[in-house]
Amino acid sequence: MKLNKWTVGLAAVGAISLSSAVQAEETEMNVVNSLTSGTTISGYVSTAFSYNFNTASPSGSPNLAFGDPTDRADATGTGKANGFALDVINLTIEKPLDESEWAAGYKAEFLFGPDASAIGTSSIGQLNSSAGTSVTGGSDFGIKQAYVNVRAPIGNGLEFKMGVFDTIIGYEAFNYPDNPNYTRSLGWSIEPTQHTGLLMSYQINDIVSVSAGIAETVTPIINNRPSYTGTDSAKGQWDLTYMGAVAVTAPEDMGALAGSTLYAGALYGRTGSDTFGGGGNQASYYLGATLATGIEGLSVGGALDYLALNNNATGAGAAGLTGSTWAAGIYASFQATAKLSLHGRGEYGRSNSGFDAVPTDNAPGEAWEGTLTAQYDLWQNVISRLEFRWDNRNYGPNFGDANQG
């Protein structure tokens, strides 16, 4: 399968001071300024045109090949094929931490448009009571992040986030401008995305930083709770999800490798309630690196994702998915001119027996993809991309179908 894509996105528009739009007496202005001091408003709009070079119907095409950020976006994989599409509108309101020893802030990141519901952060009240899954087709609104952020003067400063936050593993991100390519990777399809919980971060020195946290479940559903049925019901809601990561950055005295980063992370927890067949234990492991090459403008990277799922569901409709799947990818980026950059990605993924995505002969499922992207920043705050993607697989429309996250 060969795809050609073009997308235009509006990147962050920067800080907007509320006081600049308010006319009031000086005393009132001082109150407004004190309330909005340090608060920024930013966002972007992502749109695209996609064309499928296959002569056959694209109904079996992988969702990720058309820019759908998760497999939940469109079960047929045709939602953005052969035409124009609105991806998502992002609006972020944030008060970052200042430089004081005791500091507090917050971040509220909202999504609007077709991909907003695809991220799957519907609150627990929006669950489908018969299937136990998030309702993803009924609303073009989603909460990507919403947390309170504080720092305590412990050592170099210990930071806490509590609320809904991005997962700590993965090479790529949900937000379109943050990725080197428009379409998502195979690795993205088997990674968790968001969590509701508490995350702690600490910068040990200029080289090493660590993070650790707990969350309700590995799923993005806000306020979801782990629960069990049958003989395991007494385990209750305190079987939480645990996560940790470490990043090592090469110092300036390492010459050509200065700035290179090695990242490792792991996550283990419940996928949700097994009452509706969606429960089980999930372990995710990630290893990634970005390397400076010493060649001006050229950087390379790599990522390895591994997912192990043990679905011990016992309720009605329980699928009982058990097995593992993994994906390995390489990345390369070259800044050719001040406005033109070139990006490439190649991946291989393997889904072992036990997943329902595997062919009926129980042979391992395999997937390959290659993506080439040319980005030209003609206008300020506008990203224009022309992208070609090739996909090949021996099973199903979606790599990582067994991912419950």
Side-chain angles (χ1 to χ4, degrees):
M1 181 178 64
K2 297 180 179 180
L3 306 173
N4 191 356
K5 298 182 177 298
W6 181 75
T7 181
V8 177
L10 179 63
V13 298
I16 301 176
S17 174
L18 179 61
S19 60
S20 63
V22 177
Q23 298 296 325
E25 295 181 1
E26 183 177 354
T27 55
E28 295 176 344
M29 288 292 294
N30 290 336
V31 173
V32 172
N33 286 334
S34 64
L35 291 175
T36 62
S37 176
T39 298
T40 62
I41 302 175
S42 61
Y44 67 88
V45 175
S46 178
T47 63
F49 175 81
S50 304
Y51 182 76
N52 185 359
F53 285 95
N54 282 347
T55 56
S57 169
S59 60
S61 302
N63 291 328
L64 299 172
F66 291 103
D68 292 331
T70 72
D71 292 339
R72 289 177 292 271
D74 184 358
T76 65
T78 61
K80 297 182 182 178
N82 299 330
F84 297 96
L86 168 66
D87 298 318
V88 74
I89 303 165
N90 176 291
L91 175 64
T92 302
I93 304 172
E94 181 179 14
K95 184 181 186 302
L97 298 180
D98 57 32
E99 298 300 322
S100 59
E101 288 187 348
W102 293 93
Y106 67 90
K107 185 172 187 177
E109 189 172 4
F110 307 105
L111 301 174
F112 307 89
D115 288 354
S117 58
I119 199 172
T121 54
S122 300
S123 63
I124 193 68
Q126 297 299 314
L127 288 179
N128 183 327
S129 59
S130 62
T133 57
S134 176
V135 178
T136 61
S139 174
D140 280 359
F141 171 77
I143 298 175
K144 182 176 179 292
Q145 295 191 92
Y147 60 79
V148 174
N149 195 17
V150 298
R151 182 175 61 238
I154 301 174
N156 295 326
L158 182 61
E159 296 186 10
F160 299 85
K161 292 179 181 178
M162 189 166 70
V164 180
F165 50 84
D166 289 338
T167 189
I168 61 175
I169 63 175
Y171 194 94
E172 298 182 6
F174 175 89
N175 286 334
Y176 286 84
D178 295 339
N179 296 323
N181 309 102
Y182 168 71
T183 61
R184 301 309 199 284
S185 64
L186 299 176
W188 169 267
S189 72
I190 61 175
E191 295 168 353
T193 55
Q194 264 71 33
H195 306 287
T196 303
L198 174 68
L199 181 67
M200 298 172 288
S201 302
Y202 186 74
Q203 188 76 38
I204 297 176
N205 50 42
D206 292 337
I207 299 177
V208 181
S209 63
V210 295
S211 59
I214 55 175
E216 296 294 348
T217 65
V218 299
T219 68
I221 302 171
I222 297 175
N223 295 345
N224 197 13
R225 296 291 190 271
S227 61
Y228 299 79
T229 57
T231 58
D232 289 332
S233 60
K235 292 183 179 180
Q237 299 181 352
W238 291 104
D239 192 359
L240 300 177
T241 292
Y242 303 92
M243 64 193 76
V246 58
V248 180
T249 303
E252 294 296 328
D253 57 7
M254 289 194 67
L257 291 177
S260 300
T261 302
L262 178 65
Y263 192 96
L267 181 146
Y268 179 81
R270 295 282 295 178
T271 60
S273 169
D274 65 5
T275 303
F276 306 110
N281 296 318
Q282 176 175 319
S284 295
Y285 305 96
Y286 172 76
L287 181 65
T290 57
L291 301 176
T293 62
I295 302 174
E296 185 177 358
L298 178 64
S299 62
V300 297
L304 175 64
D305 284 281
Y306 183 88
L307 168 67
L309 181 65
N310 179 20
N311 190 329
N312 55 7
T314 58
L321 301 176
T322 300
S324 63
T325 184
W326 60 271
I330 56 174
Y331 296 78
S333 296
F334 179 67
Q335 190 70 43
T337 68
K339 295 182 177 294
L340 175 64
S341 59
L342 305 174
H343 309 273
R345 179 183 62 205
E347 283 187 288
Y348 170 77
R350 183 182 179 95
S351 183
N352 297 320
S353 60
F355 289 114
D356 62 352
V358 177
T360 55
D361 61 3
N362 212 34
E366 295 180 302
W368 301 262
E369 73 92 3
T371 303
L372 297 174
T373 306
Q375 177 175 315
Y376 194 77
D377 303 333
L378 177 60
W379 298 277
Q380 185 178 6
N381 291 332
V382 177
I383 298 173
S384 302
R385 289 169 174 162
L386 180 67
E387 183 163 304
F388 173 88
R389 173 166 173 153
W390 172 88
D391 281 273
N392 193 356
R393 71 213 182 283
N394 68 352
Y395 68 97
N398 306 318
F399 180 79
D401 279 352
N403 179 22
Q404 302 297 302

